[in-house]
Amino acid sequence: MKKALVCGAGGFIGSHMVKRLKEEGFWVRGVDLKYPEFGDTHADDFVIGDLREQQVCRAIVDRRFDEVYQFAADMGGAGFVFTGEHDADIMHNSGLINLNILDCCHKRNIKRVFYSSSACIYPEYNQLDPDNPNCAEDSAYPASPDSDYGWEKLFSERLYLAYHRNHGMEVRIARYHNIFGPEGSWCDGREKAPAAMCRKVAETADNGEIEMWGDGKQTRSFLYIDECIEGTLRLTRSDWTGPVNIGSDEMVTINQLAETAMEIAGKKLTIKHIPGPLGVRGRNSDNSLIEKQLGWRPSYSLKKGMDITYRWVEEQVKMASSKI
Ligand code: NAD
């Protein structure tokens, strides 16, 4: 039986990955500071542990896993990573996790390790025009990410690539672009734009008003979780290291994202634009490289993913209000 280790298995992407690996017949160990929030874990073995601790990492990496997925990070949406208030934690905590886990994998002679980097590594100077952002993989340097979250991701990419060059490890690196879907943060201060919009729309009566950070003209693309998992597995099992974008290239403004949620909910709401943390002006996934190297690209429309996500968030909102 093949064995996989999922770091960050209590989080959004990690818990979905555990489910998928179990469906494929793997024996799975998950590790996280916490259990998944929205349901039982599917892992065969779930360790509550702090990956900043070297001894914890050594104990967890106690065998030669066939595949290791490293999702653990101190992270969140714009309200968490772009305020500047969490920079020291983000860099220290996520940096330590990557340094520890990768070295333990090397010492156990584990070859295949996936690392979840981010579109936040791309230079701010290429993302000033909301209609024409450049996020081709080879545009990462000269580096100028707009957040310390992005700088830590870039450092860790280089760390994984160095272990590949110096120790022959088969590392695989993806740069995720805004992954969303059910069972992700929706109201704890770490939620991203799709879940936040779904929550605001679900909580507001028809003809009411919702607030949005900025003028809503900033652009992004959003990738549904199932496609993120599919792309990640294809990359990990390929013979190609990356780094590669895993994202949708259906670019929309944040106003359009909100309108999609309203359309799904069948509500007409007014948007009140307020100041708030924003990130770059424009961003979109460039999928030329993944298509060339893996012969695959995501295909879900934003509407299809938002439909499923809205229903899930709406249910959470109803459950939360029934508890009050
Ligand atoms: P998440 O916050 O839901 O999951 C991360 C998990 O890591 C959390 O459950 C957290 O408890 C765990 N963790 C944090 N510190 C830990 C520690 N010291 N020891 C053990 N576990 C620890 O985030 P996610 O959305 O599932 O993202 C997974 C990965 O993908 C992250 O590395 C993130 O930076 C990257 N990524 C995500 C997105 C996205 O849109 N979701 C975009 C780009 C990159």
Side-chain angles (χ1 to χ4, degrees):
M1 192 186 239
K2 284 200 169 179
K3 297 181 288 295
L5 172 66
V6 179
C7 303
F12 170 48
I13 301 175
S15 59
H16 282 272
M17 180 56 88
V18 169
K19 251 184 248 173
R20 173 71 185 262
L21 291 167
K22 282 308 300 167
E23 281 162 19
E24 294 191 358
F26 274 72
W27 183 90
V28 181
R29 170 173 292 160
V31 55
D32 203 300
L33 293 170
K34 60 174 176 70
Y35 290 107
E37 263 167 73
F38 307 106
D40 294 338
T41 180
H42 292 230
D44 298 279
D45 180 31
F46 195 102
V47 181
I48 293 290
D50 188 338
L51 296 170
R52 290 170 300 183
E53 304 289 339
Q54 219 173 29
Q55 290 91 325
V56 172
C57 290
R58 280 202 204 114
I60 281 157
V61 187
D62 64 351
R63 61 196 76 186
R64 231 187 253 182
F65 290 96
D66 298 284
E67 295 174 6
V68 173
Y69 294 89
Q70 202 318 71
F71 299 114
D74 203 356
M75 67 93 67
F80 186 78
V81 298
F82 296 130
T83 60
E85 287 163 24
H86 307 285
D87 288 350
D89 280 348
I90 288 170
M91 297 195 88
H92 176 262
N93 296 342
S94 300
L96 272 183
I97 293 170
N98 285 309
L99 288 161
N100 285 340
I101 207 76
L102 185 57
D103 199 56
C104 286
C105 288
H106 163 53
K107 293 198 167 114
R108 280 273 172 216
N109 215 3
I110 292 171
K111 289 286 173 225
R112 209 149 281 242
V113 184
F114 170 84
Y115 174 56
S116 48
S117 182
S118 165
C120 288
I121 65 98
Y122 287 113
E124 188 172 17
Y125 57 77
N126 280 335
Q127 301 172 86
L128 299 174
D129 176 357
D131 298 322
N132 275 307
N134 176 10
C135 292
E137 285 82 349
D138 60 4
S139 71
Y141 296 94
S144 184
D146 72 329
S147 64
D148 279 349
Y149 170 73
W151 277 107
E152 189 283 323
K153 287 289 185 196
L154 202 55
F155 163 77
S156 290
E157 279 193 6
R158 298 189 68 98
L159 179 73
Y160 282 79
L161 290 171
Y163 272 66
H164 170 63
R165 284 195 312 277
N166 295 167
H167 301 309
M169 290 178 76
E170 293 291 340
V171 306
R172 300 288 180 262
I173 301 168
R175 294 174 181 157
Y176 288 157
H177 289 244
N178 301 312
I179 315 302
F180 76 104
E183 301 184 9
S185 285
W186 64 280
C187 75
D188 64 355
R190 290 183 185 239
E191 64 274 20
K192 322 259 171 43
M197 285 309 149
C198 290
R199 186 196 69 229
K200 289 176 191 195
V201 171
E203 283 173 346
T204 310
D206 199 10
N207 300 313
E209 182 181 82
I210 57 170
E211 289 186 342
M212 181 189 288
W213 290 337
D215 62 9
K217 292 180 185 155
Q218 65 273 32
T219 52
R220 293 290 185 280
S221 69
F222 302 93
L223 183 70
Y224 188 66
I225 181 69
D226 291 2
E227 303 233 83
C228 165
I229 299 292
E230 182 65 32
T232 301
L233 291 175
R234 283 175 186 252
L235 172 65
T236 304
R237 293 165 188 173
S238 77
D239 56 7
W240 179 53
T241 301
V244 66
N245 292 326
I246 293 192
S248 159
D249 57 6
E250 184 185 347
M251 188 169 79
V252 293
T253 64
I254 302 300
N255 284 327
Q256 286 168 330
L257 178 70
E259 279 151 21
T260 306
M262 290 181 216
E263 192 191 319
I264 292 164
K267 294 182 184 177
K268 276 227 164 312
L269 308 175
T270 313
I271 301 174
K272 182 182 174 195
H273 298 280
I274 58 166
L278 293 175
V280 294
R281 198 65 191 141
R283 175 172 290 157
N284 194 13
S285 183
D286 182 328
N287 289 342
S288 325
L289 190 61
I290 195 163
E291 205 168 350
K292 180 166 166 243
Q293 294 288 345
L294 300 185
W296 176 86
R297 59 184 301 147
S299 58
Y300 266 51
S301 66
L302 175 66
K303 175 80 175 20
K304 183 171 171 185
M306 280 293 278
D307 232 332
I308 306 168
T309 308
Y310 182 81
R311 304 292 163 215
W312 181 81
V313 173
E314 190 183 36
E315 211 177 292
Q316 306 305 308
V317 169
K318 278 187 195 150
M319 285 193 312
S321 58
S322 70
K323 283 184 197 152
I324 296 168

